[in-house]
Amino acid sequence: MAIELLLVLTLLVGLLVSTILFSAFHSKLPPSPIALPIIGHFHLLGPIIHQSLHKLSLRYGPLFSLRLGSVPCIVASTPKYAKELLKTNELSFTSRKHTIAIDRLTYNSSFAFAPNGPYWIFMKKLSANELLGSRTVNAFISLREKEYLRLLRVLADKSEAGEAVNVTEELLKLTNNIISQMMLGRAEEARAVIREVVQIFGEFNVSDYIWFFKRLDLQGFGKRIEDIHRRFDALVEKIITEREELRKKKENGERERDGREHQVKDFMDILLDFSEDENSEIKLTRAHIKALIVDFFAAGTDTTAIATEWALAELINHPMVLEKARKEIDNVVKNSRLVQESDVPNLPYINAIIKETLRLHPPLPMVARKCIEDRRIGSYVIPANSLLFVNVWAIGRDSNYWKNPLDFEPERFLPKEGMGMIDVRGQQFQYLPFGSGRRSCPGINLAMQELPALLSAMIQCFDFKLVGQRGEIMDGKNVVVNMDEGPGLTAPRAHDLVCVPIARLSSLDILHP
Ligand code: HEM
Ligand SMILES: *[C@@H]1O[C@H](CO)[C@@H](O)[C@H](O)[C@H]1NC(C)=O
Ligand SMILES: *[C@@H]1O[C@H](CO)[C@@H](O)[C@H](O)[C@H]1NC(C)=O
Ligand SMILES: *[C@@H]1O[C@H](CO)[C@@H](O)[C@H](O)[C@H]1NC(C)=O
């Protein structure tokens, strides 16, 4: 009897001690809501994750923690913590979580998801200096301007016919065509499979988080991934092989007949040059090349299209801003020609509109990283392998750092105004549309040249009339664009932007010289 009592007592004390130890360990994590078994905090997340995390931050503070399935996460929602994590402790947070789909579709060779190491450093340099540096970006100006013109002609035809355009769709086509031609020298045939690759990249797979489901394929993803992978691989394999043959012919001095001779080197040529370079620090393989193509498609297509769409929607809802923007454009081009990328430095108000759009509608609403080692932050300890989410969206709408944060006021970003000093490169932590530090976006030059030029060209030539479709709301007697956000890894619009373009007086002459 006594022994049994002793046993029970020991057990109780043991339990108590382990509970205390457990909570002592856990109290080092930032504050956290109560978790459920197995799923952790998944039940607290709605379809629009950055919004759910913002609401939780109001309750649990600027740095709180969650457990998604078995994966610990921390969420930072102020510039102070953004800086502390992305700058002060940058080297602890230089990794990202990848998923089964990403590994498969990037041949285990993604650079956007590679850990900080020789391969990532090599690819980052290659991207910054060769592929997405301003020299290469400028070399493709005429290619991009052809695509802007193609879009404007689609709008002009619709305008003549008085028909509505699915602007969402046209913008996706345009950004996809541009990146596709810059990389591969062609566009059309790649579009369908590329869309599927980009989509499955952003889809959420419970199996990646919950060990319990590791062996189940509840959503039937496995088969879809294999199917997409097979089709994508066949396509790039064909493109690479054709290009290699072309290069061999060229080496043998045969003249090309397809007129590509005088064109700029596209990314495929640059990458193949590197892969043939015996002295390169990293031997670029075929898988590396294919993976980079997937990376750039995934990172560069939707982001750019979504940003343009949000900007246009804001302008439709703010006629005064639109008027002011047009005056600036008309002043620069004197209405005698179409606005061009080279005009962008002379369009401060348009640039402010783009910055303001990226503040309210950052296409990637959260900077997502992974912690590679136990890291002390103030009195907290962030365990290795935790995921970090910096809620860029929430920080951009915080009234502690922005005046009238929910209003669309591009003026705030004009050179002489309060926020005029803030640039897009992640030096100021209340504004991080392209992330910050060495892991920040290498596509920034391209995006910040393309976005203002494209938006300017669209509003120089057209007014956009809403047609009373789904998602539009009546505001007094005016129809306004519904600005709700939809679910997704990027922050897309909940409702596609569909409107009838109305040609402005002289614009048709500009388009049909
Ligand atoms: C409006 C357009 C764009 C926005 C808002 C955007 C935003 C971002 C953000 C927030 C990140 C994560 C940064 C971080 O972790 O600190 C990122 C990474 C990246 N972006 Fe962009 N991006 C855009 C366009 C592009 C384009 C056009 C390309 C390429 C063609 C591109 C390629 C990449 C790549 C490769 C990474 C991963 C870099 C790394 O992990 O080292 N992005 N982007
Ligand atoms: C990718 O890596 C995983 C484990 O790291 C491995 O099981 C898999 O076979 C690799 N896949 C490819 C295509 O190399
Ligand atoms: C517009 O295009 C998008 C993208 O292709 C498509 O998903 C959507 O259904 C279209 N919306 C409308 C209203 O036609
Ligand atoms: C989801 O997880 C299952 C099971 O591990 C896997 O077969 C599938 O490929 C994954 N899909 C995605 C999109 O990650």
Side-chain angles (χ1 to χ4, degrees):
M1 193 66 188
I3 290 183
E4 276 165 28
L5 201 69
L6 206 69
L7 259 177
V8 170
L9 260 178
T10 324
L11 214 86
L12 277 179
V13 170
L15 245 168
L16 202 70
V17 169
S18 62
T19 312
I20 289 168
L21 278 180
F22 184 79
S23 58
F25 173 74
H26 272 255
S27 71
K28 289 181 177 170
L29 269 169
S32 180
I34 292 170
L36 295 182
I38 300 175
I39 62 168
H41 294 105
F42 261 119
H43 61 292
L44 298 177
L45 300 184
I48 302 177
I49 296 174
H50 58 273
Q51 291 185 14
S52 304
L53 295 181
H54 169 60
K55 286 201 192 100
L56 288 168
S57 79
L58 298 179
R59 185 129 176 235
Y60 296 95
L63 189 69
F64 68 96
S65 61
L66 291 178
R67 202 159 49 71
L68 299 182
S70 49
V71 183
C73 306
I74 55 168
V75 182
S77 312
T78 55
K80 172 176 167 278
Y81 278 115
K83 184 172 181 186
E84 174 122 17
L85 295 157
L86 296 177
K87 187 169 181 186
T88 316
N89 292 288
E90 176 174 18
L91 291 177
S92 303
F93 294 94
T94 41
S95 209
R96 296 188 206 278
K97 176 179 171 58
H98 33 119
T99 64
I100 300 160
I102 289 170
D103 288 344
R104 185 68 181 130
L105 290 170
T106 62
Y107 308 77
N108 275 0
S109 302
S110 169
F111 126 74
F113 290 90
N116 183 4
Y119 177 61
W120 173 76
I121 291 173
F122 178 80
M123 294 306 262
K124 190 81 177 189
K125 253 197 260 162
L126 183 69
S127 302
N129 300 340
E130 304 288 333
L131 307 175
L132 299 168
S134 44
R135 188 165 43 86
T136 313
V137 167
N138 283 330
F140 287 106
I141 282 189
S142 71
L143 179 159
R144 287 191 297 278
E145 286 181 342
K146 260 188 216 135
E147 284 300 317
Y148 306 154
L149 204 58
R150 199 197 56 78
L151 169 66
L152 296 175
R153 293 211 168 109
V154 169
L155 297 178
D157 289 345
K158 292 287 185 180
S159 156
E160 263 168 66
E163 286 170 8
V165 188
N166 184 343
V167 178
T168 309
E169 183 170 17
E170 292 301 329
L171 287 174
L172 267 175
K173 252 192 232 168
L174 175 133
T175 56
N176 188 83
N177 280 353
I178 286 178
I179 195 84
S180 190
Q181 290 178 76
M182 288 176 67
M183 292 198 294
L184 310 173
R186 59 172 103 190
E188 294 306 323
E189 62 187 303
R191 198 154 61 218
V193 61
I194 292 296
R195 283 273 2 112
E196 291 184 64
V197 170
V198 173
Q199 267 160 10
I200 205 159
F201 241 69
E203 280 174 32
F204 197 79
N205 188 353
V206 281
S207 315
D208 284 320
Y209 288 86
I210 304 182
W211 55 268
F212 197 74
F213 295 141
K214 262 265 156 16
R215 321 225 46 198
L216 296 173
D217 187 5
L218 295 176
Q219 295 140 296
F221 268 143
K223 251 185 77 193
R224 229 177 102 213
I225 294 178
E226 286 312 313
D227 177 54
I228 296 174
H229 176 74
R230 200 173 32 72
R231 282 184 291 139
F232 175 80
D233 191 61
L235 179 74
V236 272
E237 191 54 49
K238 178 170 149 257
I239 293 176
I240 296 179
T241 310
E242 280 176 18
R243 183 62 59 88
E244 282 171 339
E245 279 163 14
L246 207 65
R247 288 161 66 90
K248 257 192 226 123
K249 275 192 201 157
K250 216 173 187 176
E251 248 170 46
N252 300 337
E254 287 178 39
R255 284 188 58 83
E256 291 173 51
R257 294 210 187 124
D258 67 349
R260 281 182 29 87
E261 203 166 8
H262 298 295
Q263 276 183 12
V264 213
K265 270 190 185 177
D266 59 19
F267 293 8
M268 184 62 85
D269 272 324
I270 300 174
L271 291 168
L272 286 172
D273 284 348
F274 270 89
S275 78
E276 288 160 8
D277 178 0
E278 298 297 332
N279 303 320
S280 172
E281 304 148 52
I282 297 266
K283 183 85 190 113
L284 265 197
T285 65
R286 234 175 160 79
H288 293 152
I289 295 178
K290 292 175 183 175
L292 191 82
I293 291 168
V294 176
D295 275 343
F296 281 9
F297 269 123
T301 315
D302 290 30
T303 43
T304 315
I306 286 173
T308 316
E309 197 186 340
W310 278 115
L312 191 61
E314 288 288 4
L315 290 186
I316 293 172
N317 282 354
H318 295 88
M320 307 281 275
V321 177
L322 178 58
E323 260 334 288
K324 204 166 153 187
R326 276 197 180 129
K327 271 210 186 99
E328 184 177 76
I329 298 167
D330 291 347
N331 244 334
V332 167
V333 304
K334 308 278 179 243
N335 243 2
S336 61
R337 61 174 175 83
L338 188 63
V339 64
Q340 293 168 350
E341 280 197 11
S342 56
D343 295 317
V344 166
N346 302 321
L347 298 169
Y349 194 60
I350 299 284
N351 284 302
I353 289 174
I354 298 297
K355 281 187 176 176
E356 179 71 340
T357 302
L358 295 173
R359 177 183 72 83
L360 278 171
H361 312 288
L364 289 177
M366 297 187 291
V367 168
R369 304 278 185 85
K370 191 167 88 179
C371 185
I372 56 171
E373 58 201 351
D374 289 353
R375 168 66 37 215
R376 180 173 286 282
I377 302 292
S379 58
Y380 304 126
V381 175
I382 315 296
N385 293 320
S386 305
L387 303 188
L388 164 66
F389 296 104
V390 176
N391 198 337
V392 171
W393 178 90
I395 294 174
R397 292 171 171 236
D398 190 330
S399 60
N400 290 315
Y401 314 101
W402 302 92
K403 216 166 102 191
N404 308 328
L406 299 186
D407 294 346
F408 184 76
E409 284 174 5
E411 283 75 10
R412 73 174 92 231
F413 282 112
L414 282 176
K416 291 205 189 83
E417 297 302 319
M419 295 298 173
M421 300 301 296
I422 292 203
D423 101 315
V424 293
R425 289 173 192 274
Q427 300 302 310
Q428 293 101 343
F429 291 84
Q430 67 269 52
Y431 187 63
L432 301 170
F434 294 95
S436 182
R438 31 197 120 188
R439 203 88 222 198
S440 66
C441 178
I444 212 166
N445 292 323
L446 177 57
M448 290 312 282
Q449 200 150 312
E450 188 172 332
L451 288 174
L454 173 58
L455 183 71
S456 299
M458 290 175 83
I459 61 172
Q460 185 194 4
C461 297
F462 300 97
D463 270 310
F464 294 88
K465 197 176 120 218
L466 299 168
V467 283
Q469 286 180 347
R470 221 167 55 109
E472 288 165 15
I473 2 178
M474 293 297 293
D475 172 23
K477 62 181 181 7
N478 296 322
V479 196
V480 296
V481 186
N482 176 316
M483 300 300 267
D484 288 346
E485 296 177 340
L489 198 70
T490 52
R493 298 172 40 73
H495 303 283
D496 296 320
L497 188 60
V498 179
C499 35
V500 181
I502 313 273
R504 288 179 76 216
L505 277 178
S506 52
S507 68
L508 291 182
D509 301 336
I510 297 176
L511 297 183
H512 302 286

